[in-house]
Amino acid sequence: MTDSAAPRASYSLDGPASLATMRRWLAGLRDRGVFHADDEHLRDIQLACTELATNAIEHAAPPRSVHVVRVTTTAVLIEVSDGSPSVDVARRTPDLHARRGRGLNMIAILARRWGVTRRGHHKILWAWLATC
């Protein structure tokens, strides 16, 4: 389950064009010491956030945003919130010929834990991601 603490940092998602800027924002947070991660783990964090954010952009109503909520010495808790109250999230068995549908399976591999919850009228997809 996610922590109810106020986010350390938040980034508003405006659409697909904001994903590259979001990845640079995450790198900037790391560079400013908001969380510590080597380059390999930063790429995993960026990939996981991109997948969660893409799902929010493609399948949910605005407002959409990414939050760095908690930081430990070995992990960071990322939340992606959207304006959809539904917590129905479909993790599919990937078809070898399908061009899509692997995002949540990648999250399951990259994250120590992940899940979905509702906060008020918003859905929150969250993931604990390793930083070392």
Side-chain angles (χ1 to χ4, degrees):
M1 181 160 307
T2 62
D3 191 310
S4 61
R8 289 182 175 222
S10 297
Y11 177 81
S12 179
L13 295 166
D14 295 325
S18 63
L19 295 172
T21 306
M22 179 201 65
R23 289 187 291 273
R24 288 190 295 275
W25 171 77
L26 288 164
L29 292 177
R30 189 272 313 255
D31 294 347
R32 289 191 305 278
V34 173
F35 64 89
H36 300 283
D38 59 31
D39 288 344
E40 180 179 344
H41 286 91
L42 174 62
R43 283 189 296 274
D44 288 348
I45 292 165
Q46 290 170 316
L47 176 59
C49 284
T50 299
E51 290 301 322
L52 294 175
T54 298
N55 280 350
I57 290 167
E58 291 184 357
H59 303 294
R64 302 174 195 101
S65 54
V66 178
H67 311 280
V68 174
V69 180
R70 290 207 45 212
V71 177
T72 70
T73 56
T74 62
V76 60
L77 174 61
I78 302 292
E79 293 182 347
V80 175
S81 64
D82 62 54
S84 173
S86 172
V87 293
D88 293 332
V89 175
R91 184 172 161 202
R92 301 183 217 158
T93 302
D95 176 336
L96 290 176
H97 303 289
R99 294 172 48 181
R100 304 169 50 98
R102 294 174 181 81
L104 292 178
N105 290 309
M106 288 183 2
I107 298 300
I109 292 167
L110 292 170
R112 291 181 176 180
R113 292 182 306 158
W114 73 277
V116 60
T117 190
R118 184 180 313 157
R119 191 174 296 143
H121 296 290
H122 300 275
K123 175 174 67 229
I124 309 290
L125 276 160
W126 57 270
W128 273 105
L129 300 157
T131 57
C132 60

